[in-house]
Amino acid sequence: MKLALVLACLALAVLLASCGGGEGAQKDEASDPEPAATETTAEAEQAAEPEAAVEPEPAAEPDAEKAAEEASQEDVDSIGDATYESILADYTAQLEEATPTLIEEFNAEAEGVTDVVELANICTDKIQELALIETQGTERMALVMYRDGDDYEVYEDWSMKLYDVYEAQSMEITSAYEDAALNAYL
């Protein structure tokens, strides 16, 4: 039962972090008619199931068509002869290289922290750094689309490949958070 409650709290903290549940988004506990401690056993067990794991929020995808319309010739020239494939390879490498450093930073900042919401906020900050890398890559892909006159679907296929890499790397940071949050309760 205690493990189910701990896992339920972990799932809630990840959910809060992914929804921007920082200090500015906290509810007034006095106005909450039903405190979280009254969660039923069934709800706790459901939250503890692997399917209840919260995936990180997707990086803010640029509106590729709007970006293409607003792209200046200077922007297009800045990508040179880059291709979707070369951008995917470059930004995949950047994401994969950044992840271990971000995990180390998370672990250093999380050391001694026992508040799961604070841990979730640290985790979210690290995942946002990955999201910036992914967004830069998809913006460059949008410029390739504009330069080459490709259909949006071509861009979308390639940008989703980069998003998949981002998602996998962000889950590694989330795993570090889950370990820290679990250790905070043990």
Side-chain angles (χ1 to χ4, degrees), residues 75-120:
D75 291 333
V76 172
D77 291 344
S78 73
I79 62 167
D81 61 352
T83 63
Y84 296 110
E85 189 171 10
S86 67
I87 293 169
L88 176 62
D90 180 34
Y91 283 86
T92 293
Q94 288 184 44
L95 289 166
E96 290 173 347
E97 289 171 11
T99 301
T101 301
L102 292 170
I103 291 171
E104 287 176 15
E105 290 174 6
F106 170 82
N107 288 333
E109 291 176 36
E111 190 171 328
V113 176
T114 58
D115 178 15
V116 292
V117 174
E118 187 176 342
L119 289 169

Side-chain angles (χ1 to χ4, degrees), residues 3 10 19 28 36 38 55-56 60 64 70 95 97 100 156 163 165 185:
L3 180 59
L10 283 173
C19 294
D28 181 11
T38 63
E55 293 186 21
E70 295 176 356
L95 289 166
E97 289 171 11
E156 187 175 39
Y163 176 77
V165 174
Y185 278 104

